[in-house]
Amino acid sequence: MKSTFASLAIAAALSASVSGFALAQDSVEVLHWWTSGGEAAAVGVLKDDLQKQGVGWQDMPVAGGGGEAANTALKARVTSGNPPTAAQLLGMAVNEWSEEGLLGDLTSVADQEGWGTVVPDAIKNFAVHDGKWQAVPVNIHRPNWLWINAKVFKDNGLEPPKTWDEFNAVADKLKEKGIVPLAHGGQPWQDTTVFDDVVLGIGGPEFYKKAILELDDAALKSDTMVKVFDQMRKIRGYVDPNFSGRDWNLATAMVLKGEAAMQLMGDWAKGEIVKANLTPGVDILCVTAPGTEGSFLFNTDFFAMFPVGDSKLAAQHKLAASVMSPSFQEAFNLVKGSIPARTDVSGDKFDACAKKSMGDLKSAVSSGTLLGSLAHGHAEPAGIQRAMFDVVTQHFNSDMSSKDAAAALVTAINAAR
Ligand code: BGC
């Protein structure tokens, strides 16, 4: 009798470990910050795609636009020796995890699937380190968009602004009529999304390169940067009194409902437009942020792969191969608002805004005006980015002068270097 119990116990333990093994082998755990309506719909596309291949999905969402909270959660997981299969990371964060020697190696999958020839260099540079593929790009987002409620503009006889002066004129008219000109959420990454647009729109691409990408002291404290902060101060006057702390998707919702006329935001906002069954380019217009036509600010969401051990490797490789497949890149990006990270996916099924993005990306690559976004982790490492966020947000929420803000930027960057 005793021995029967013992063998049952052994069998139970064995079957538990076998099913545990099967579970580990056939599922992926993915950490991400896609929690808004449009973002969650995009995650659904990935989950369904994997399910069709027999790979289960263990969701690890960490809310917070721009991904700061997700990065903190990821650090805790990796530090405790229990990394997820994959984590959503922006480009500079991929670099930092790679430099720490903490990412896995997908090169065998990359070679088999031929990723090398279809991903633009600007993006490949973040995914490949020392010749090894360590992350897969899911998309290309463009942060320098201005979203406009077409009806509000039409009813008030307004034209989409092409320069910051035109933007101010339009915003003044809206304000006179009691309409909130700009939907905004007062969070450091959102303030800096606007700041990036203003730096690029007022200074032009060469100035953006000098000030933001090269952190050139002279550019950072130049008269142009003072003008940038003057414009930020004007923008502060165009947001509603409840902007502080508002999530980006709630700001987008204000534009969709006509409670505000415009939003300066990346094209993840388009995911919300699509989710609300509105037509991008018709109900909600997409124009490049004032003064930035001809330049393409970019950020890409990568799934960085962590070393997971042999039992989970097959599922991890399936995840990577699926994400990179042309059919997935099309299906996912139609919902997410971004464009595919592969150059060989046709734009036929995409809306007018995405088609413009695809065309503008090509011209920006050839004219050297494809520029990494500071707000969205493609310009500076986290320490410097955070220091710049602090100054931009402090200026936006105080009466700090533009000259003092430009000087504070230099001091904060030097302290963070
Ligand atoms: C990410 C997007 C995301 C957005 C708001 C950006 O940094 O690249 O995928 O939708 O933040 O959460």
Side-chain angles (χ1 to χ4, degrees):
M1 200 60 174
K2 241 185 185 174
S3 67
T4 318
F5 271 130
S7 51
L8 267 180
I10 291 169
L14 263 177
S15 90
S17 76
V18 166
S19 66
F21 175 74
L23 193 74
Q25 195 178 35
D26 296 327
S27 70
V28 289
E29 188 191 10
V30 182
L31 190 153
H32 62 89
W33 66 88
W34 288 329
T35 55
S36 78
E39 291 173 331
V43 171
V45 174
L46 178 55
K47 198 169 137 187
D48 292 350
D49 191 79
L50 289 169
Q51 228 144 35
K52 278 185 209 136
Q53 302 175 56
V55 178
W57 177 266
Q58 281 176 260
D59 208 23
M60 193 182 169
V62 184
E68 212 175 319
N71 280 327
T72 309
L74 178 62
K75 274 186 195 132
R77 283 289 303 269
V78 177
T79 314
S80 68
N82 178 28
T85 319
Q88 177 193 0
L89 290 183
L90 297 171
M92 292 306 280
V94 179
N95 289 357
E96 290 178 53
W97 283 101
S98 171
E99 277 156 25
E100 296 290 326
L102 291 167
L103 296 184
D105 186 359
L106 295 166
T107 313
S108 61
V109 195
D111 289 347
Q112 206 177 325
E113 304 276 328
W115 301 341
T117 53
V118 293
V119 176
D121 284 345
I123 297 188
K124 218 175 353 184
N125 290 343
F126 289 107
V128 180
H129 296 273
D130 297 327
K132 284 191 278 185
W133 280 84
Q134 301 196 294
V136 285
V138 187
N139 55 19
I140 302 176
H141 269 305
R142 183 181 202 184
N144 60 316
W145 284 115
L146 176 68
W147 305 95
I148 295 176
N149 182 302
K151 183 168 183 324
V152 172
F153 262 50
K154 191 162 179 259
D155 290 352
N156 291 285
L158 299 171
E159 287 297 322
K162 292 201 172 68
T163 62
W164 284 106
D165 285 343
E166 286 179 21
F167 176 90
N168 296 340
V170 160
D172 285 337
K173 279 193 193 138
L174 287 160
K175 211 172 157 178
E176 263 166 39
K177 297 195 172 179
I179 301 164
V180 177
L182 192 70
H184 181 62
Q187 297 173 346
W189 73 268
Q190 293 191 63
D191 299 339
T192 308
T193 300
V194 174
F195 175 75
D196 282 357
D197 289 344
V198 178
V199 172
L200 183 60
I202 287 187
E206 288 313 313
F207 180 74
Y208 186 94
K209 279 185 203 163
K210 278 251 162 270
I212 306 294
L213 302 179
E214 294 166 20
L215 301 177
D216 176 81
D217 261 24
L220 286 166
K221 53 184 180 214
S222 63
D223 288 348
T224 307
M225 190 55 86
V226 173
K227 282 191 197 132
V228 167
F229 280 108
D230 287 348
Q231 179 59 37
M232 290 300 286
R233 176 66 65 243
K234 283 210 141 264
I235 290 173
R236 174 66 181 81
Y238 297 139
V239 304
D240 73 313
N242 301 320
F243 77 100
S244 196
R246 177 186 288 135
D247 285 333
W248 68 271
N249 52 315
L250 301 182
T252 306
M254 290 169 69
V255 179
L256 304 193
K257 290 187 217 149
E259 292 169 5
M262 304 179 275
Q263 183 185 21
L264 286 157
M265 189 46 67
D267 40 19
W268 43 93
K270 189 153 67 69
E272 303 302 302
I273 302 173
V274 171
K275 184 89 183 38
N277 287 322
L278 296 171
T279 308
V282 177
D283 302 312
I284 306 295
L285 308 178
C286 52
V287 295
T288 46
T292 70
E293 184 68 31
S295 295
F296 194 113
L297 283 183
F298 82 97
N299 67 289
T300 282
D301 292 302
F302 293 88
F303 279 145
M305 302 292 167
F306 289 84
V308 283
D310 289 349
S311 65
K312 292 187 188 167
L313 211 57
Q316 185 183 60
H317 285 183
K318 271 193 194 169
L319 167 68
S322 295
V323 161
M324 286 305 291
S325 74
S327 59
F328 172 79
Q329 291 264 333
E330 180 183 70
F332 178 87
N333 286 300
L334 279 169
V335 178
K336 183 69 174 69
S338 31
I339 59 173
R342 296 179 62 120
T343 48
D344 59 347
V345 177
S346 132
D348 290 355
K349 291 197 187 148
F350 284 83
D351 58 52
C353 305
K355 284 201 171 96
K356 173 164 170 56
S357 209
M358 288 176 180
D360 287 358
L361 175 68
K362 269 198 197 126
S363 6
V365 169
S366 49
S367 61
T369 55
L370 176 64
L371 305 163
S373 148
L374 172 67
H376 297 278
H378 282 72
E380 295 301 335
I384 292 176
Q385 182 203 37
R386 168 93 340 247
M388 296 174 85
F389 276 16
D390 286 350
V391 175
V392 170
T393 291
Q394 206 196 336
H395 169 267
F396 201 71
N397 291 290
S398 68
D399 57 5
M400 185 189 268
S401 76
S402 302
K403 250 199 147 108
D404 286 352
L409 209 50
V410 177
T411 311
I413 291 167
N414 288 335
R417 276 199 220 242

